[in-house]
Amino acid sequence: QVQLGESGGGVVQAGGSLRLSCAASGRTFSSYATGWFRQAPGKEREFVAAIKRIGHTYYADYTGSVEGRFTISRDDAKNTLYLQMNSLQPDDTAVYYCAAGRVATMRSADEYAYWGQGTQVTVSS
């Protein structure tokens, strides 16, 4: 069993940066793949980034992708997942969720068994 809690969200102007953190409980955190998803008002939850082990990262590849602007990382000694977000744009406004699980594709929300409560990120123009 893993419990997750996000922090670091807030309001930022376009072009600014935020660093999200996701603290996990449980001694098995290091054995799980972890990811970030986001959900904007009226839209479905979408994949942002995932990390299976240090050095194995995956980023969303849809239009307006986050790759090159966002960086996912994890510190297993601290049981913490991070998402560094730079060059934020208004389209990045959403509730950001961290997730953990034993996953295969890394990009499907259905594969993740554990979820945090979410943290709001608002980017003003």
Side-chain angles (χ1 to χ4, degrees):
Q1 189 79 7
V2 176
Q3 292 185 326
L4 304 173
E6 303 93 338
S7 62
V11 180
V12 63
Q13 289 188 332
S17 298
L18 284 174
R19 188 193 196 201
L20 305 184
S21 298
C22 174
S25 65
R27 293 178 292 177
T28 59
F29 175 75
S30 62
S31 67
Y32 290 110
T34 50
W36 289 98
F37 290 77
R38 67 186 182 184
Q39 188 166 18
K43 295 187 178 181
E44 293 185 354
R45 189 170 299 189
E46 64 181 10
F47 170 75
V48 175
I51 181 167
K52 201 165 194 176
R53 294 178 295 276
I54 293 175
H56 290 75
T57 58
Y58 306 79
Y59 292 93
D61 56 5
Y62 44 74
T63 302
S65 177
V66 303
E67 190 165 12
R69 299 189 296 123
F70 291 8
T71 302
I72 189 171
S73 62
R74 61 190 288 171
D75 186 336
D76 289 342
K78 296 182 178 180
N79 276 8
T80 304
L81 175 71
Y82 303 100
L83 185 69
Q84 177 67 44
M85 305 186 295
N86 299 327
S87 301
L88 284 161
Q89 299 301 317
D91 284 348
D92 295 317
T93 295
V95 177
Y96 283 71
Y97 299 88
C98 65
R102 304 190 190 282
V103 302
T105 70
M106 307 297 289
R107 300 170 186 272
S108 174
D110 291 342
E111 293 187 311
Y112 290 82
Y114 306 105
W115 291 84
Q117 81 286 353
T119 185
Q120 176 71 47
V121 171
T122 302
V123 185
S124 61
S125 57

